Amino acid sequence: MLTCTLGLAYAGASQAQQTPAYVGSQECRDCHLDEALEWDQSHHALAWTEATLDTVVADFSDVEFTHDGVTSRFFKKNGRFMIETQGPDGQTHVYPVAGVAGITPLQQFLIETEPGKLQSFDVTWDDVKKQWYHLYPDQDLPVGDGLHWTGPYKNWNARCAECHATDFDKNYDPRSGTYSSTQSEIGVGCEACHGPGEVHLAWAKDSAEGKETDMSRWISLTNTGFSMDFNAGAETEIQQCASCHSRREPFEGGNPLPGTPFHDTYRLSNLRSGLYHADGQILDEVYVYGSFLQSKMYDKGVACTNCHNAHTGEPKIEGNGLCTQCHSDGGNPDFPSLTLKSYDDPAHHFHAEGGQGAECKSCHMIERDYMGIDGRRDHSFRIPRPDLSVKTGSPNACNDCHSDQSFDWAAAQLATWYPDSPNRGPHFSQVLAAGRTSPAGQVDNLIGIAMHDALPGIVRATALDMLAQLATPAIADQTAPALEDSDPLVRVAAIAAQRGGGPQEAIGRITQMFDDPSRAVRIAAARAFLGTQILHMPKRIEDARNAAMREWQSTLQAKADFPEAQLVLAGIGLTTRRFDAALAAFSEAVDMDPQLEQAWTMIVRINSALGNQQAAIDAITAAVKANPDSVDLSLMKVQMGQ
């Protein structure tokens, strides 16, 4: 197994300040019984449980399910739930169920394939239809594929557990390739959101006795002894929820302390092709945060708990009443910018009262199914724009229901209902849709979006991402002011756009970002600075650069079990001309995921360049064996005379 550094001397880790201990949700019940009872049957509480008669709802009565010629059997033995299926070696094995994920509409099961290594099994229980089904029925996922249930992308420790447990620490050893993961509690318990409870318990006891708790030894604590203060405002609350409810790249190997700013622990995925439609609607499973950041509700200070019960996770009010607590002719004094008018009315929605078309969520929160059957709603709360569907191909709520009609029909119908609507003007999606195909043809428009501070930060950051592909001095100069934007998402993306600038200008602009208050920005600066040749820089800047580099290094080490992290390490090795490190990282990547064709290609080329012809031949032979349908690899093998 590979451990690769950035070539910087390690500074000794500063001694961490003491963090209170996690005590478990059971300790909260005596004082907070009502909240505990609400939480008990929530999706948070049941996010990860032991396999017991109380938690398993699937059929384990010796039933079989066959997919792609592989038969899996579900049964019980000696009181334990068992799964017989094809293992990582292609042979049939019997595994005890090591854990349960979720409850409804689907329930997944965890299998321990090696000591401490948990994998998420692809055959899943549909709790609505009461039947087994495969999560990916249309994909060919044989043994050895990175996406096979035993592969790295289905590893529970690395990919899932962090958001299904409390105080989770992955504890991956890259040298042995083993896990010694720990958590204070499986399931999303009280402390997963509020923070470790040791000091809060002491505070409660002292308060009951009329004493004052000494909190001087503890860090990041509120006056009640928690690291997370939900009274701190909407943004603090949203960032805490976003730590799991987002599509993001983690910087750590487990749960950050609750209350830690989102951009210090994650890099959020922008509106990339394959994840989002060009207008920002959900496409792949991106969860909630990236959508909500696009909404006017986020812009006006609406928090998750304005709509959701924090302990059940469910909407506070069923039906349209949830929306009309604000969107009505009475409004809501907490949000004074609301237009006061009746929305739950046929004069607004033009559908029969009581029907699906009259539901606010049908028009303003489109639903998409993930994991086969799990419906998730888009939280960008957008106005339906079939006229944009005509121009960009993005879907719209009208045609979701009226699938037998065209986009043009839906656009004409809305124009009839709202002839003077101000909501049919130009939209950023027109530029992003064109930019996905040809960013060079949209440079001026993309710059306009990037620098338009009235647009959501995630939209502006997406435009900057597109501009970074072109990397010209003019783009760098015109987007440089975005480096000082208030939104970390924008600052992160703006850094990449500077790499096309003149060497002196780019270096000067990037070095100022090493001191940014957000770790995501500092790491982005470190990435952009890699390979830059500077003979001398002031000590203060050099120290800041080295600190940012160490932060980046730490995040890569935390993700050493990610094939994609190994590709980054390999890229660092190439950039710094440490070809042995690059070769080791590429090799580690294909060991984890044999379908990484570009990594195989680089292994062959590096070995050839180093004069290791036999190693190159061995690599291309292994590459073609792992990817027999790859035209590029087969052609490379022929060109090598093999």
Side-chain angles (χ1 to χ4, degrees):
M1 293 292 173
L2 171 72
T3 302
C4 180
T5 70
L6 302 183
L8 294 173
Y10 258 122
S14 60
Q15 185 173 358
Q17 290 177 282
Q18 189 175 10
T19 302
Y22 286 77
V23 298
S25 298
Q26 192 63 33
E27 293 290 337
C28 307
R29 302 186 74 88
D30 286 346
C31 294
H32 303 283
L33 182 59
D34 289 344
E35 291 82 358
L37 292 174
E38 287 185 322
W39 171 82
D40 280 344
Q41 297 304 312
S42 70
H43 286 271
H44 280 160
L46 301 174
W48 182 4
T49 59
E50 301 286 353
T52 69
L53 292 174
D54 292 330
T55 60
V56 175
V57 297
D59 184 0
F60 276 79
S61 62
D62 201 13
V63 297
E64 294 183 345
F65 177 86
T66 300
H67 174 73
D68 268 0
V70 176
T71 297
S72 301
R73 185 166 68 99
F74 304 87
F75 63 102
K76 285 180 281 191
K77 181 179 180 180
N78 299 327
R80 300 190 69 182
F81 294 88
M82 312 292 288
I83 298 176
E84 181 181 75
T85 193
Q86 182 187 60
D89 57 0
Q91 303 301 309
T92 299
H93 297 269
V94 175
Y95 300 99
V97 172
V100 181
I103 186 74
T104 190
L106 59 96
Q107 188 171 72
Q108 289 184 273
F109 296 92
L110 313 181
I111 292 175
E112 188 176 35
T113 56
E114 300 174 15
K117 182 180 182 181
L118 297 176
Q119 298 289 136
S120 179
F121 193 45
D122 278 347
V123 181
T124 303
W125 179 252
D126 181 337
D127 193 49
V128 178
K129 294 183 179 179
K130 306 298 182 184
Q131 63 184 24
W132 293 98
Y133 76 104
H134 199 281
L135 283 174
Y136 312 100
D138 300 325
Q139 297 183 23
D140 180 24
L141 303 175
V143 169
D145 192 296
L147 290 169
H148 186 263
W149 76 266
T150 60
Y153 304 111
K154 306 295 175 63
N155 176 255
W156 179 262
N157 310 67
R159 304 284 174 167
C160 313
E162 176 186 349
C163 287
H164 288 254
T166 304
D167 185 29
F168 179 77
D169 192 335
K170 181 170 59 176
N171 282 328
Y172 175 71
D173 183 349
R175 292 177 176 82
S176 63
T178 58
Y179 294 92
S180 301
S181 303
T182 61
Q183 60 278 323
S184 65
E185 183 177 355
I186 60 173
V188 182
C190 307
E191 294 164 296
C193 300
H194 292 284
E198 177 190 7
V199 178
H200 181 75
L201 286 181
W203 170 84
K205 182 176 182 295
D206 289 345
S207 296
E209 297 175 357
K211 300 177 183 177
E212 183 174 342
T213 309
D214 177 13
M215 297 188 186
S216 60
R217 296 183 298 124
W218 310 103
I219 60 170
S220 303
L221 297 180
T222 68
N223 58 7
T224 59
F226 277 132
S227 60
M228 175 61 196
D229 183 1
F230 279 94
N231 295 316
E235 184 63 25
T236 300
E237 176 187 309
I238 290 166
Q239 289 193 28
Q240 178 60 31
C241 297
S243 65
C244 284
H245 295 275
S246 61
R247 182 75 172 254
R248 77 288 191 277
E249 172 194 347
F251 292 156
E252 301 177 3
N255 298 127
L257 187 69
T260 304
F262 180 89
H263 300 287
D264 281 348
T265 51
Y266 305 101
R267 179 177 178 180
L268 184 68
S269 295
N270 290 330
L271 307 182
R272 299 203 311 265
S273 178
L275 296 185
Y276 294 87
H277 292 285
D279 64 350
Q281 289 186 76
I282 57 176
L283 176 58
D284 201 1
E285 190 170 18
V286 292
Y287 309 99
V288 174
Y289 188 42
S291 298
F292 191 56
L293 289 178
Q294 303 172 54
S295 71
K296 290 184 179 179
M297 292 173 68
Y298 172 76
D299 185 58
K300 298 299 182 181
V302 175
C304 307
T305 52
N306 285 118
C307 298
H308 292 272
N309 179 309
H311 298 103
T312 66
E314 299 298 324
K316 287 183 171 181
I317 304 171
E318 291 298 324
N320 288 352
L322 183 67
C323 302
T324 58
Q325 64 178 331
C326 293
H327 296 281
S328 66
D329 49 15
N332 185 327
D334 291 338
F335 304 103
S337 65
L338 285 163
T339 299
L340 303 182
K341 60 179 286 188
S342 178
Y343 291 91
D344 191 9
D345 188 296
H348 173 70
H349 54 65
F350 294 93
H351 288 78
E353 292 189 75
Q356 182 179 354
E359 295 181 4
C360 305
K361 63 185 180 183
S362 295
C363 295
H364 300 290
M365 298 183 72
I366 61 166
E367 185 176 44
R368 298 290 180 259
D369 286 343
Y370 301 105
M371 306 184 79
I373 61 171
D374 193 2
R376 312 275 179 86
R377 292 199 174 270
D378 191 314
H379 279 65
S380 57
F381 302 100
R382 64 187 62 244
I383 293 171
R385 291 288 305 269
D387 60 309
L388 289 178
S389 298
V390 174
K391 298 171 183 175
T392 69
S394 295
N396 68 85
C398 303
N399 290 107
D400 271 7
C401 290
H402 299 280
S403 57
D404 58 333
Q405 300 288 351
S406 68
F407 292 159
D408 286 312
W409 170 87
Q413 190 65 51
L414 278 185
T416 300
W417 290 342
Y418 295 98
D420 301 316
S421 173
N423 298 308
R424 282 196 292 275
H427 192 267
F428 67 78
S429 63
Q430 295 165 264
V431 177
L432 296 189
R436 287 178 172 184
T437 303
S438 177
Q442 295 292 321
V443 169
D444 289 342
N445 290 329
L446 287 169
I447 291 174
I449 289 175
M451 304 311 294
H452 186 31
D453 59 11
L455 286 171
I458 192 170
V459 174
R460 300 171 60 206
T462 302
L464 285 163
D465 282 346
M466 291 184 175
L467 290 167
Q469 301 172 41
L470 305 174
T472 69
I475 289 173
D477 289 344
Q478 292 182 70
T479 59
L483 293 168
E484 299 178 4
D485 196 85
S486 61
D487 192 330
L489 286 174
V490 175
R491 300 199 301 276
V492 166
I495 288 171
Q498 292 306 305
R499 287 180 292 193
Q504 185 172 352
E505 291 82 0
I507 289 171
R509 291 165 184 166
I510 292 171
T511 54
Q512 68 179 330
M513 309 308 289
F514 291 139
D515 290 321
D516 194 273
S518 290
R519 179 157 58 157
V521 179
R522 298 192 297 270
I523 290 173
R527 292 180 68 130
F529 208 75
L530 184 70
T532 301
Q533 301 298 320
I534 300 180
L535 295 178
H536 176 73
M537 65 175 65
K539 185 176 186 306
R540 185 193 67 79
I541 295 178
E542 184 177 10
D543 289 346
R545 180 203 63 177
N546 290 343
M549 289 288 189
R550 286 193 294 271
E551 285 187 299
W552 184 24
Q553 176 178 297
S554 176
T555 69
L556 292 172
Q557 289 177 327
K559 299 190 293 286
D561 52 345
F562 284 33
E564 53 268 48
Q566 294 297 333
L567 293 181
V568 174
L569 288 168
I572 293 171
L574 290 175
T575 302
T576 57
R577 303 187 65 81
R578 295 173 59 217
F579 299 116
D580 56 340
L583 187 61
F586 279 128
S587 299
E588 186 73 9
V590 298
D591 184 54
M592 295 178 182
D593 180 3
Q595 281 67 55
L596 291 173
E597 295 183 27
Q598 290 181 324
W600 282 115
T601 299
M602 292 306 302
I603 292 171
V604 174
R605 289 177 176 172
I606 292 172
N607 277 311
S608 295
L610 295 176
N612 300 327
Q613 195 59 28
Q614 187 57 52
I617 292 171
D618 292 343
I620 193 60
T621 302
V624 172
K625 181 178 180 181
N627 301 276
D629 298 327
S630 172
V631 175
D632 291 340
L633 290 176
S634 295
L635 181 60
M636 176 178 272
K637 185 177 181 181
V638 171
Q639 291 172 339
M640 294 176 63
Q642 298 302 306

